[in-house]
């Protein structure tokens, strides 16, 4: 049986019909065409599929789309400003070479965006703790950690 | 080189799209395509008695179900053995869908095509396969025992056996040299299975328009997939194009081709006349792609009082899994690269590659080198311990000296060519790593140790790569090369090369890789070869284009080409900046026109008066357009090198191992982009730490991979990876125009050796197995200390 739900994705209300078992990750990617959210495991470990649900990071592969009917969701496509200017976190990842293949990157960007909203000036340990739910097979994390600190700086300059 | 771009940490040109969700990975394509899913064997070894697809036929959305018997003869053939070798006397490959027998858990048995993946998986779940179980062969010992066979026609499970001997200058063999040596040691080393494990799995998406086939694959070699698919489907090559879109990591596993799915998905698309797509899920990746590393090594070494190795005799047991599509490259690389930066008196190495009922073994980043380096570096540490010498002093005593290059190791390398090191400076590198880690001032205490590991990596293997460079009449530079990218930043590094060679701003350069529509001749991305082979090919192609541009500009400016230079996209007379012509105009003039499509183009039309009436518009030997193509085919491999050192602390109670410092000195010849090279090293070290401390593929006696998920196969998170301190040495390669050597695999190669060395130092007993977990260290303490 299909259900009609509304997701407010990156500020736009989207109506979509999905079966109850449709994962939020599949709904975003295949029903709404927002393929920036990636799936690396579909069992909740890698963090590639992380999106912001009401501002908090969640694993969209462990979430049924029907359970978030009416919710506000931000995906990687919604992180840049409406003028297309990259967010501080996105710019910091580019500047610090925080990505290689880019497959884990959307999950990290969402996670870090929420992290810095909570804790604008994290310590090194807090950064590592904050990203410790996301796997990256390419970068060895060093430049990701650097990028998080740089993003904190860029955010501070902007406000 | 006219600009400073080469060697600069230029920011990556691929990042803006990858940071905004605009990357296009395999499963981001083909939204309307049908979805394929596979019924895979739940047994490690069985005969298929019957397949009943009946119960699946009612699933809503089902389109087709195929077993091996449904495949046309050509499609159903055994997959190719990609790299034959005379020593691989019993090479065996799988069928695209299992034919009668399954030989590992995960082998594909039935393909289902449906309107979406959910429906395809529903159907898979209803298909009943009746298996007659056979006893599986699991683990090296059981394989060698040979009581059970993986392939009925492969006696003793032995796929390949190879002995290589390099006698001492006086003619003595290694065994003789060891017997005659003042000191001898013998020991056994064990390395377990791991895997590339890119975060994006494999995937294939195919479109057939009734005449032409387009295949997208998450591959490390689109040109070879193209040839393999054309051959398997019986299509003329020009009717097949293969594109590697953005690829979410490869690390070796995606060099294998054609995967069963790369044949079956395009075939289904042709048969059904519909687009078909398959994206691998994580469990599938664990049980049906490829693994690496597993080896057992028996070592005997003879040495003198200084620790100089007089004879080394290594015999390697290599677990190949169920099939050998990639030949015996991994144990060959182990055997040859084991020697590292050292000259040994006499060397004998023998390997036996055996089949087991497990996932096939093909190269994973490092490709056999981590095992070889583990062997050699453990040997160096044992010699030092035996003689009571500093571990670095023993290494130093065995180094090839800087003045001895080119140095011939007397063996045949993985490219079939002599193992001759091109350049290097190992004593200087040792000095640098000791300084970086503070070797001489290290304060040792129980539970705190320091370790070191050295390696040489043959990089940039042939046969060749090519580059095509075109400057269009808008002044933009379009570069393409056939090999693929999986995160190495090729779009940036190759643009740096082209911008520097042509004297144009990098913003005007765009690079396409892995698209056979743009460049059809290539080998692929593996063996740290992309920068070396494609990089040089692109530089050579740029030089051709530059020469042509100068010739045309010289005509237009009535100057001598030798007096011209290009800067910022302008060809100008050296010393007279006002006498110049933009490359965009040169591109217009390079293509004599009849029809003007814009104002610029009008300059090249037949009444514009720019061409001499005494010559044909396109002179003899010339071609229209400002473009060029060239190839680089190395005479043999380049040899990068590196030395790593680490400080570890071990917990006295929990036996937890913490890497508190990690230092790398690295020599990959001239650096194109140091930021990218460092990133490659960081990532390699992280994978190495995984392999040394956490990652292993655990098979039970039934051949079930019991940890086939990210929950149980422990890849390091940020919390497990140490900060990596790096320093670079640059000894340019004399073998190629750019003097570069390649860096992709470097970081991972010596890590297990380094960690073993450091843990051994902290604990005071030998560490001869990798990976080592806290519970294994705990047990080892009990064994060694009672
Ligand atoms: S795909 Fe959701 S956590 Fe891995
Ligand atoms: S950049 Fe490739 S997995 Fe993180």
């Amino acid at each position: 049986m299909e259900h009609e739900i509304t997701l407010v994705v990156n500020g736009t209300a989207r109506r979509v019909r999905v079966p109850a078992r449709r994962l939020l990750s599949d709904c975003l990617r295949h029903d709404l065409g927002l393929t920036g959210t990636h799936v690396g495991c579909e069992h909740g470990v890698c963090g590639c599929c992380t999106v912001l649900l009401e501002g908090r990071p969640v694993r969209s592969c462990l979430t049924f789309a029907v359970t978030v009917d009416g919710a506000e969701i931000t995906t990687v496509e919604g992180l840049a400003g409406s003028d297309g200017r990259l967010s501080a976190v996105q710019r910091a990842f580019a500047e610090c070479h925080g990505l290689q293949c880019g497959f884990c990157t959307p999950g990290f960007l969402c996670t870090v965006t929420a992290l810095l909203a909570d804790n604008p000036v994290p310590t090194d340990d807090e950064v590592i703790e904050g990203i410790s739910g996301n796997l990256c097979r390419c970068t060895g994390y060093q430049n990701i950690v650097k990028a998080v600190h740089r993003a904190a700086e860029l955010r501070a300059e902007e406000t | 080189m006219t600009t400073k771009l080469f060697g600069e940490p230029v920011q990556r040109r691929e990042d803006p799209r990858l940071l905004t969700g605009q990357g296009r990975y395999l499963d981001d394509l083909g939204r309307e395509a049908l979805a394929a899913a596979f019924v895979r064997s739940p047994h490690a070894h069985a005969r298929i008695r019957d397949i009943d697809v009946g119960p699946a036929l009612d699933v809503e959305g089902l389109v087709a179900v195929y077993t091996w018997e449904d495949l046309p003869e050509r499609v159903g053939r055994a997959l190719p053995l990609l790299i034959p070798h005379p020593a691989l006397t019993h090479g065996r490959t799988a069928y695209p869908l299992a034919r009668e027998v399954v030989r590992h858990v995960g082998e594909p048995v039935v393909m289902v095509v449906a309107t979406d993946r959910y429906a395809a998986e529903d159907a898979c779940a209803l298909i009943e396969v009746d298996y007659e179980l056979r006893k599986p062969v699991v683990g090296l010992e059981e394989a060698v025992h040979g009581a059970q066979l993986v392939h009925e026609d492969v006696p003793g499970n032995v796929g390949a056996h190879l002995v290589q001997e390099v006698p001492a200058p006086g003619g003595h063999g290694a065994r003789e040299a060891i017997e005659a040596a003042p000191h001898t040691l013998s020991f056994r080393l064990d390395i377990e299975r791991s895997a590339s494990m890119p975060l994006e799995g494999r995937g294939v998406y195919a479109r057939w328009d009734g005449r032409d086939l387009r295949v997208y694959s998450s591959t490390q070699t689109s040109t070879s997939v193209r040839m393999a698919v054309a051959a398997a489907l019986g299509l003329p090559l020009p009717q097949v194009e293969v594109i590697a879109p953005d690829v979410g990591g490869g690390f070796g596993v995606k060099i294998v081709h054609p995967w069963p799915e790369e044949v079956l998905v395009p075939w289904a698309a042709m048969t059904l006349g519909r687009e078909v797509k398959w994206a691998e899920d994580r469990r599938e990746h664990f049980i049906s792609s490829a693994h690496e590393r597993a080896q057992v090594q028996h070592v005997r070494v003879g040495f003198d009082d200084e620790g100089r190795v007089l004879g080394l005799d290594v015999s390697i047991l290599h677990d190949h899994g169920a099939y050998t599509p990639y030949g015996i490259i991994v144990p060959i690389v182990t055997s040859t690269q084991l020697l590292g930066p050292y000259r040994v008196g006499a060397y004998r190495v023998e390997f036996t590659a055996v089949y087991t009922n497990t996932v096939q073994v093909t190269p994973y980043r490092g490709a056999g080198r981590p095992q070889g380096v583990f062997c050699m570096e453990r040997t160096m540490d044992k010699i030092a311990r035996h003689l009571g010498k500093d571990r670095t002093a023993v290494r130093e005593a065995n180094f090839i000296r800087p003045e001895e290059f080119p140095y011939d190791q007397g063996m045949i390398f993985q490219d079939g060519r002599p193992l001759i090191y091109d350049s290097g400076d190992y004593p200087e590198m040792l000095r640098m790593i000791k300084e970086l880690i503070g070797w001489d001032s290290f304060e040792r205490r129980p539970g705190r140790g320091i370790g070191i590991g050295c390696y040489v990596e043959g990089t940039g293997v042939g046969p060749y790569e090519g580059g095509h460079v075109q400057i269009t009449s808008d002044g933009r530079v379009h570069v393409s090369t056939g090999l693929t990218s999986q995160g190495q930043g090729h779009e940036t590094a190759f643009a740096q090369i082209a911008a520097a060679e042509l004297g144009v701003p990098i913003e005007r350069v765009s690079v396409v890789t892995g698209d056979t529509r743009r460049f059809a001749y290539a080998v692929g991305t593996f063996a740290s070869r992309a920068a070396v082979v494609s990089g040089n090919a692109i530089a050579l192609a740029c030089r051709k284009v530059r020469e042509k541009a100068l010739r045309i500009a010289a005509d237009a400016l009535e100057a001598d080409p030798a007096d011209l230079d290009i800067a910022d996209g302008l060809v100008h007379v050296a010393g007279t900046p006002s006498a110049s012509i933009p490359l965009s105009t040169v591109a217009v003039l390079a293509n004599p026109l009849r029809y003007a499509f814009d104002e610029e183009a009008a300059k090249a039309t037949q009444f514009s008066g720019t061409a001499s009436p005494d010559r044909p518009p396109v002179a003899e030997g010339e071609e229209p357009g400002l473009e060029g193509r060239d190839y680089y085919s190395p005479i043999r491999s380049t040899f990068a090198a590196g030395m790593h050192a680490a400080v570890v602390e071990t917990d006295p109670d929990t036996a937890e191992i913490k890497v508190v410092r990690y230092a790398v000195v690295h020599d990959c010849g001239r650096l194109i982009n140091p930021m990218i090279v460092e990133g490659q090293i960081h990532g390699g070290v992280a994978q190495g730490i995984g392999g040394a401390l956490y990652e292993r593929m655990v098979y039970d006696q039934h051949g079930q991979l019991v940890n086939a998920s990210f929950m149980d196969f422990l890849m390091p998170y940020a919390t497990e990876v140490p900060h990596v301190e790096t320093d670079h040495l640059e000894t340019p390669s004399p073998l190629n125009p750019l003097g570069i050597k390649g860096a992709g695999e470097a970081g991972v190669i010596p890590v297990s050796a380094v960690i073993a060395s450091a843990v051994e130092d902290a604990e005071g007993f030998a560490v001869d197995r990798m990976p080592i977990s806290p519970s294994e260290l705990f047990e080892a303490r009990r064994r060694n200390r009672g």
Side-chain angles (χ1 to χ4, degrees), chain A residues 98-105 108 135-139 144, chain B residues 199 248-249:
Chain A
L99 64 153
Q100 291 182 22
C101 78
F103 199 77
C104 67
T105 310
F108 273 97
L135 283 172
C136 172
R137 194 59 162 167
C138 296
T139 63
I144 295 180
Chain B
L199 284 191

Side-chain angles (χ1 to χ4, degrees), chain B residues 59-106:
Chain B
V59 170
E60 201 185 315
L62 181 78
V63 175
V65 182
Y66 305 107
T67 67
W68 180 82
E69 289 184 352
D70 300 317
L71 304 178
E73 189 277 330
R74 205 183 177 104
V75 177
R77 284 182 201 166
L79 297 167
L81 200 166
L82 293 170
I83 310 181
H85 187 287
L88 180 57
T89 50
H90 294 77
R92 294 292 178 272
T93 59
Y95 293 89
L97 291 171
R99 177 185 181 181
E100 290 168 31
V101 180
V102 287
R103 293 190 179 83
H104 65 88
V105 171

Side-chain angles (χ1 to χ4, degrees), chain B residues 366 369-371 373-374 455-457 644 745-753:
Chain B
R369 293 178 189 85
Q371 300 94 311
V373 169
F374 188 69
Y455 69 92
V456 167
E457 181 197 2
H644 294 195
E745 297 168 278
V748 79
I749 294 171
V751 185
S752 279

Side-chain angles (χ1 to χ4, degrees), chain A residues 21 26 100-101 137 141-142, chain B residues 12 25 118 122 695 716 724:
Chain A
R21 64 177 177 170
D26 286 339
Q100 291 182 22
C101 78
R137 194 59 162 167
Y141 305 103
Q142 190 157 325
Chain B
R12 296 205 326 166
Y25 301 85
Y118 287 64
D122 284 347
E695 296 170 10
V724 180

Side-chain angles (χ1 to χ4, degrees), chain A residues 38-49 59 61:
Chain A
H38 297 155
V39 293
C41 70
E42 291 183 289
H43 49 255
V45 182
C46 73
C48 287
C49 65
R59 316 232 139 172
C61 77

Side-chain angles (χ1 to χ4, degrees), chain A residues 52-68:
Chain A
L52 300 178
L53 178 68
E54 310 291 353
R56 312 217 53 88
V58 298
R59 316 232 139 172
S60 61
C61 77
L62 294 185
T63 308
F64 289 120
V66 288
T67 64
V68 294

Side-chain angles (χ1 to χ4, degrees), chain A residues 21-23 26 29-31 35 38 40 43 45 86 90 95 97 100-102 132 135 137-139 141-142, chain B residues 12 19 25 27-28 31 118 122 195-196 199 282 364 487 675 679 682-683 687 695 710 716-717 723-724:
Chain A
R21 64 177 177 170
R22 193 80 163 157
L23 300 176
D26 286 339
R29 290 176 47 76
H30 303 307
D31 298 328
T35 54
H38 297 155
H43 49 255
V45 182
L86 298 188
Q90 289 168 311
E95 207 180 292
H97 188 30
Q100 291 182 22
C101 78
S132 67
L135 283 172
R137 194 59 162 167
C138 296
T139 63
Y141 305 103
Q142 190 157 325
Chain B
R12 296 205 326 166
L19 286 165
Y25 301 85
D27 197 29
D28 304 344
R31 210 167 144 193
Y118 287 64
D122 284 347
S196 305
L199 284 191
R282 187 51 53 185
Y364 158 35
M675 178 190 83
H682 293 169
Q687 279 179 322
E695 296 170 10
F710 281 169
Y717 285 100
H723 182 85
V724 180

